[in-house]
Amino acid sequence: MTDAGRVVLATGDDPLVLEHGGRLDHVEVAYETWGELAPARDNVVFVCHALTGDAHAGGEGGWWANLVGPGRPLDTDRFHVVCANLLGGCRGTTGPSSPDPATGRPWGLDFPLLTVRDLVAVHRRLLAHLGVERLHAAIGGSLGGMQVLQWAVDDPAAIDRAVLVAASSRLSAQGIAFSAVARDAIMRDPDFQGGRYVGSGRRPDHGLAVARRMAHITYVSEGSLEAKFGRDRLADGPPTHATDFQVEAYLDHQAEVFLARFDALSYLYLTRVMDYFDPFSDAGAAARAGSGGTDFLVVSFDTDWRFPTAQSRRIHDHLAAAGARSRHVEIASPWGHDSFLLEPPGYHDVVRQHLVRHPG
């Protein structure tokens, strides 16, 4: 059974005060749940989504439907699974395309900058609204894994088991550079209009499509692209400036699908959130994360070059050195960073085992 809902989690009387000093007097959150909540409210698994995800993790069309459902690692016959659209998003939760309560107009670039801690603060408010004090588990891939790590730092008593998949505790210069070029493509699009495009009838679709094409290349491995497309062309004929190779058509399709479901302003804000994430710059963060008894599983994939294994190992090493219970597993996969959304051999098994084993 799936339930979807929206709830207001911040008001003028109880604003969300942000880490950088801004505040939001109205925060509405879209979320979905699967499976029955146990009477003791002790079977909740919270799914934190990645950059361009949303609350629809399970069920038909769910972006993590191979992981969420009856008999799957996030077994909805056993667990009550919750997933919320992120603060700053564009799929039902307050973000930069939402109305500014002070003006009635879309926020645009006047929306305050966010941090991973701000995203987690909203998740924590949602759990309080649902009457849940401690999670059986929190799980997330990529930016989702960053949220799980920050959650354990900020509220060590909240999570029994944490699963961080293909995540990073600090983007490399290369990672920041990829996002910088993507944002520049969006902001240089004439239809961006200084961020005031919402409701104008024009959107920076060209810039967002360029950003998505480039990002998607980083999410897959060279080997997977070679195996799927090689140098195959759409048709025989002379060279052309138009789309000609199969891999070009694939990227065109990825961009087209993305434009139908995502907003350029959210892309700007959420990529920036990732750039500044660096929890272990606080020398006490790892110790706090482990102080509540959370049992960590850190998973990486051997062909992931966007968030390579060394970045997952860094998370594990910081946690283990501070005395936290942590285990790192590298999974062999041909699919690069996107492996966290797929089913490479051994991946779902290790997640399933972590969710059911006794901590300690």
Side-chain angles (χ1 to χ4, degrees):
M1 184 180 71
T2 303
D3 279 326
R6 293 194 184 192
V7 59
V8 175
L9 296 176
T11 65
D13 293 330
D14 183 22
L16 181 68
V17 179
L18 304 172
E19 188 174 7
H20 288 319
R23 60 178 273 171
L24 292 170
D25 290 341
H26 180 84
V27 174
E28 185 174 357
V29 173
Y31 69 98
E32 293 189 29
T33 66
W34 302 263
E36 295 294 331
L37 179 63
R41 299 178 181 267
D42 58 356
N43 69 331
V44 178
V45 176
F46 198 101
V47 173
C48 297
H49 72 70
L51 172 64
T52 62
D54 54 32
H56 189 54
E60 184 177 356
W63 57 266
W64 229 356
N66 60 34
L67 203 76
V68 178
R72 294 176 179 153
L74 274 63
D75 187 351
T76 51
D77 289 335
R78 176 172 187 166
F79 301 125
H80 181 64
V81 180
V82 180
C83 185
N85 186 225
L86 284 179
L87 178 69
C90 55
R91 304 286 290 178
T93 294
T94 297
S97 59
S98 302
D100 175 354
T103 66
R105 298 189 300 271
W107 279 96
L109 293 179
D110 291 331
F111 195 74
L113 286 172
L114 304 173
T115 67
V116 175
R117 176 168 280 132
D118 297 327
L119 310 186
V120 170
V122 175
H123 295 335
R124 293 168 65 189
R125 286 191 179 213
L126 176 58
L127 278 196
H129 169 77
L130 297 175
V132 176
E133 294 183 359
R134 186 171 174 90
L135 293 169
H136 177 83
I139 180 171
S142 195
L143 173 57
M146 296 178 180
Q147 295 163 58
V148 175
L149 177 58
Q150 186 68 61
W151 199 333
V153 171
D154 291 346
D155 192 1
I159 303 171
D160 279 339
R161 300 159 184 82
V163 184
L164 289 66
V165 187
S168 174
S169 61
R170 184 176 63 183
L171 262 60
S172 66
Q174 182 187 64
I176 294 171
F178 277 124
S179 294
V181 174
R183 288 191 297 269
D184 195 53
I186 292 169
M187 297 179 76
R188 286 179 183 270
D189 187 324
D191 289 332
F192 183 66
Q193 304 172 68
R196 297 293 183 190
Y197 61 85
V198 179
S200 72
R202 295 161 47 209
R203 304 189 317 169
D205 284 352
H206 176 75
L208 184 57
V210 170
R212 181 60 173 180
R213 286 184 181 94
M214 185 182 66
H216 193 79
I217 295 167
T218 74
Y219 298 154
V220 297
S221 69
E222 181 180 15
S224 66
L225 286 177
E226 189 66 27
K228 189 171 185 178
F229 303 109
R231 292 178 54 81
D232 292 348
R233 295 174 63 190
L234 298 175
D236 293 334
T240 173
H241 286 297
T243 295
D244 188 20
F245 289 89
Q246 292 279 3
V247 69
E248 293 178 291
Y250 169 71
L251 293 176
D252 289 346
H253 171 72
Q254 291 295 326
E256 182 180 355
V257 170
F258 188 64
L259 292 176
R261 68 175 182 84
F262 212 75
D263 178 68
L265 282 165
S266 287
Y267 200 91
L268 295 181
Y269 274 82
L270 294 177
T271 56
R272 207 51 164 161
V273 163
M274 298 170 73
D275 288 349
Y276 286 103
F277 186 62
D278 188 11
F280 297 136
S281 63
D282 173 354
R288 291 200 304 278
S291 66
T294 302
D295 196 0
F296 291 88
L297 171 65
V298 184
V299 179
S300 62
F301 302 98
D302 62 349
T303 54
D304 184 352
W305 61 279
R306 185 65 188 260
F307 288 171
T309 284
Q311 298 200 23
S312 287
R313 190 176 297 117
R314 180 178 190 267
I315 296 172
H316 164 73
D317 288 348
H318 272 277
L319 292 170
R325 288 198 297 268
S326 178
R327 182 168 59 121
H328 169 240
V329 178
E330 183 184 63
I331 301 292
S333 171
W335 298 305
H337 187 63
D338 266 357
S339 298
F340 83 90
L341 298 169
L342 304 172
E343 298 184 64
Y347 166 38
H348 283 197
D349 292 335
V350 75
V351 172
R352 186 194 311 273
Q353 292 162 10
H354 189 75
L355 294 188
V356 300
R357 78 190 190 109
H358 189 276

